[in-house]
Amino acid sequence: MMTRKLAEFVSSLSYSDIPGDAIEMARICFLDFLGVAMRGSSERSGLMALRAMGKGSGGATIIGHGRGDAERAALLNGIFAHNLDLDDGHRGAQMHPGSCVIPAALAAAETSGATFRDLITAMVAGYEVAIFMGILANPGHRELGFHTTGTCGTFGAAAAASSIICSDVDAVVNALGIAATQAAGLLESDHAGTMAKHLHPGRAAQSGLISARLASHGFTGAESVIEGDEGFLRAMCRPEGQNINETPEIGAFHIRDVYLKRYPVCRHLHSTLDAAAEIIMENDFSASEIEEVTVSTYRIAAEHDSYSPATVEAVRQSLPVSLAIVLESGELRVEDLEGEVCREMASRIRIEVDPALEELRNMRPSRVTVRLRNGDVLTAYRELPRGEPEEPYTWDDIVEKFRELNPGYDTERLEVIGEADQEPVTEVMLELLGG
């Protein structure tokens, strides 16, 4: 059974087993998570969730808001990490693992007295399971309308929390079985431009933590929950969209293949925005000189085609409006989504599916062609957005991202992430965030 194979990986994984580049990537992912969640903790949906749920009592970090109950911390930190659409992702798994896995691992570690080294190990285990499930289930899972972050992220969160709380293999089997029956998240919440999308990783993290806690007390879950007759794959995936006889590798340390984001919008828009940024950098023209823009891309990206998004959440899913902001200002930051959307510029943008690029859809390619009023034609092509493992962002890049999101924070404090392996996670979080 796949569940047991995953559980065996989680229960047997030790820090010394993890390749150095995977450990380094885990540190960068934690840095990225922390910076994004700090900013997300003051965003509207984050504050709404905090008011609705409260902090409860306990010693778990609720980023930006002190400490509270571990399960609420996992929920809220997951929302904070995802509400800006700036969290890490994996293109093969079609999901955002960090905003699910890290809040669960962090809450489990702080309430168990675990060290930062234990947290890194739990993160690597959680990313492995989440990404394994995403690769296994997709594209058929997504084609049915499931948001892989909320569904497969629940498996990853349970694996991460189990790594710390209940690492006996049978207990991890139970935790994954319990997690699977809680896995949820619909893309309609995403593409309708609602805050419910932000809830998906938060609930995944919370459910993963609950699963590990239950399993640690003997609560059982189905070992056959992934490929059983009424399990995850049969119930929630198109048969033609996945093949249980061609499973991804367990123990490949998939965290090394995670991407990091520059723009606070859906990842399917990033190649287009990167191509537009190249055109702006290499040519001297103003937005008023643009007559027409053509975006040739793959189908899923082209379907993000709302020209009149009604909410900030909807702007994050709009290719024409996001591109219009870049063409108008040369950048796309969190603040740029909160003002007037560039509807007039967006109206000059035409989006088309290029069959050749659809064949390359797993790379997420895009070609942008800008036609100026003087007749000049400017074009740029990106096969991959920046931040993928083929063109990764560095630690310094993510420190700069952290600084831009959280002006005033002393980024020298972030060095503890690379130096505090033997310190309790609670102490590390105090060093990073204060009391």
Side-chain angles (χ1 to χ4, degrees):
M1 290 292 176
M2 291 184 196
T3 307
R4 182 161 292 274
K5 290 180 180 178
L6 291 169
E8 288 170 351
F9 173 81
V10 172
S11 65
S12 66
L13 184 67
S14 66
Y15 185 86
S16 60
D17 297 327
I18 304 172
D21 57 349
I23 290 173
E24 180 61 24
M25 191 64 199
R27 295 189 199 280
I28 293 175
C29 287
F30 185 82
L31 167 69
D32 189 64
F33 159 80
L34 185 64
V36 172
M38 280 182 64
R39 178 62 179 268
S41 71
S42 62
E43 291 294 306
R44 193 162 58 120
S45 70
L47 294 174
M48 286 180 179
L50 180 66
R51 286 196 297 270
M53 302 305 298
K55 295 194 294 185
S57 59
T61 296
I62 298 175
I63 294 171
H65 301 283
R67 294 181 178 274
D69 171 73
E71 290 171 22
R72 293 187 208 182
L75 171 69
L76 293 168
N77 289 337
I79 293 172
F80 299 162
H82 193 59
N83 63 12
L84 296 174
D85 225 328
L86 269 171
D87 44 329
D88 68 30
H90 188 281
R91 72 176 187 268
Q94 300 186 37
M95 69 175 302
H96 299 276
S99 53
C100 308
V101 167
I102 301 177
L106 180 61
E110 289 193 288
T111 53
S112 302
T115 66
F116 197 75
R117 181 170 173 160
D118 298 327
L119 175 67
I120 293 293
T121 305
M123 283 177 56
V124 172
Y127 273 71
E128 190 73 7
V129 171
I131 293 168
F132 170 93
M133 289 300 304
I135 295 172
L136 178 70
N138 282 308
H141 187 54
R142 187 188 190 284
E143 289 169 354
L144 283 174
F146 289 104
H147 188 203
T148 314
T149 297
T151 54
C152 297
T154 308
F155 285 88
S162 296
S163 174
I164 293 170
I165 294 174
C166 57
S167 59
D168 172 78
V169 66
D170 290 327
V172 182
V173 167
N174 285 325
L176 294 175
I178 298 165
T181 205
Q182 300 177 79
L186 297 174
L187 283 171
E188 191 66 24
S189 300
D190 183 347
H191 297 150
T194 73
M195 294 177 183
K197 176 181 185 286
H198 309 165
L199 187 62
H200 295 169
R203 284 290 288 144
Q206 184 184 47
S207 296
L209 180 62
I210 289 170
S211 299
R213 285 181 154 183
L214 287 171
S216 72
H217 286 272
F219 205 97
T220 60
E223 184 173 336
S224 56
V225 78
I226 296 176
E227 70 268 52
D229 288 343
E230 297 170 308
F232 181 82
L233 294 177
R234 292 186 184 274
M236 299 172 70
C237 304
R238 291 191 193 279
E240 64 274 17
Q242 49 82 29
N243 187 343
I244 63 173
N245 295 316
E246 297 180 6
T247 59
E249 182 182 354
I250 300 171
F253 297 100
H254 290 292
I255 195 170
R256 295 182 289 195
D257 299 325
V258 163
Y259 66 72
L260 302 168
K261 296 179 72 174
R262 173 184 177 188
Y263 307 109
V265 296
C266 175
R267 186 59 169 177
H268 290 293
L269 315 187
H270 282 225
S271 289
T272 297
L273 303 182
D274 281 340
E278 287 183 12
I279 291 173
I280 293 168
M281 187 184 311
E282 295 171 3
N283 299 275
D284 184 17
F285 65 96
S286 66
S288 63
E289 297 176 72
I290 297 174
E291 181 175 332
E292 183 184 55
V293 179
T294 301
V295 178
S296 302
T297 188
Y298 58 104
R299 178 181 56 82
I300 292 177
E303 289 173 348
H304 289 69
D305 59 353
S306 173
Y307 285 80
S308 301
T311 65
V312 171
E313 290 76 27
V315 172
R316 298 185 196 279
Q317 299 295 319
S318 169
L319 178 54
V321 172
S322 295
L323 177 55
I325 293 171
V326 170
L327 292 170
E328 287 273 11
S329 66
E331 187 51 90
L332 180 55
R333 302 161 300 179
V334 172
E335 296 81 4
D336 296 320
L337 302 178
E338 298 167 352
E340 288 293 319
V341 297
C342 304
R343 297 187 191 278
E344 196 281 325
M345 174 60 75
S347 70
R348 298 184 230 166
I349 297 170
R350 182 168 59 89
I351 303 169
E352 62 183 22
V353 176
D354 183 326
L357 300 189
E358 175 63 13
E359 290 295 316
L360 297 171
R361 60 188 176 275
N362 292 335
M363 303 295 284
R364 301 185 174 176
S366 184
R367 179 179 293 103
V368 175
T369 303
V370 176
R371 185 180 299 277
L372 302 181
R373 300 190 191 280
N374 66 6
D376 288 351
V377 177
L378 314 172
T379 187
Y381 171 72
R382 292 288 306 185
E383 190 164 78
L384 281 168
R386 292 190 178 93
E388 294 286 342
E390 294 88 345
E391 191 178 345
Y393 290 133
T394 65
W395 173 274
D396 290 342
D397 292 330
I398 302 306
V399 169
E400 182 58 31
K401 174 182 173 180
F402 194 114
R403 186 180 294 114
E404 290 175 359
L405 288 171
N406 303 285
Y409 182 91
D410 179 8
T411 53
E412 290 187 5
R413 297 164 70 181
L414 300 172
E415 293 176 6
V416 70
I417 295 171
E419 300 171 349
D421 281 5
Q422 300 302 329
E423 286 190 43
V425 172
T426 300
E427 296 301 318
V428 175
M429 295 308 293
L430 283 172
E431 292 180 51
L432 287 167
L433 302 177

